[in-house]
Amino acid sequence: MTQASSVDELLGALTTAWNAGDATAYAELFVEDADYITWFGQNMAGRPAIEAGHRALFEGPLKGSRLTSGGTPPRIRFLRPDVAVIVTAGGAPGGTAERSVITLTAVCDEGRWRFASFQNTRVGRPRGAP
């Protein structure tokens, strides 16, 4: 399996875990000390916080939400053979029109790819911009 296909597989697992509402499986895709920055600016620091935060979301306001690819393939850039930066489109689960850009860092440790960071940023226009 190529590096790119391994990272694509990891992204697919992220979507699958989200769509199943499985906070444990979702968090397991991150390294133990990962940083997960939500589009509200909250940092879920570490796998336990990522799991707890997503459990609350999956049982509450985002229950039944679905992630999709958005039609645009992610851009994957390898900084080293064992480190990749991924930039992909996101959206508000639940079908609202709010869009975001998601940046992830994936690392390969002992043959397993996981995410070390996740940053979700809303797409918007600065105040006063045309």
Side-chain angles (χ1 to χ4, degrees), residues 60-86:
L62 297 181
K63 185 175 186 170
S65 66
R66 311 276 300 162
L67 294 183
T68 61
S69 66
T72 304
R75 191 175 85 222
I76 301 170
R77 183 169 50 105
F78 287 88
L79 304 179
R80 301 187 327 213
D82 60 343
V83 178
V85 173
I86 303 109

Side-chain angles (χ1 to χ4, degrees), residues 14 17-18 21-27 30 36-38 42 44 46-63 65 67 93 118 120:
L14 191 77
W18 182 289
D22 188 338
T24 301
Y26 191 84
F30 292 84
Y36 191 107
I37 313 297
T38 70
Q42 175 189 10
M44 296 180 196
R47 191 184 302 148
I50 294 168
E51 182 174 351
H54 283 84
R55 180 169 276 85
L57 290 170
F58 294 155
E59 291 174 359
L62 297 181
K63 185 175 186 170
S65 66
L67 294 183
F118 177 106
N120 194 354

Side-chain angles (χ1 to χ4, degrees), residues 15-34:
T15 299
T16 298
W18 182 289
N19 291 346
D22 188 338
T24 301
Y26 191 84
E28 194 49 42
L29 300 171
F30 292 84
V31 298
E32 188 64 35
D33 62 348

Side-chain angles (χ1 to χ4, degrees), residues 5 7 12 15 17 22 26-27 29 39 48-49 53 74 81 94 99 101 106 110 117 125:
S5 62
V7 172
T15 299
D22 188 338
Y26 191 84
L29 300 171
W39 73 341
R99 296 177 303 125
V101 175
E110 297 181 11
S117 69
R125 202 177 335 190

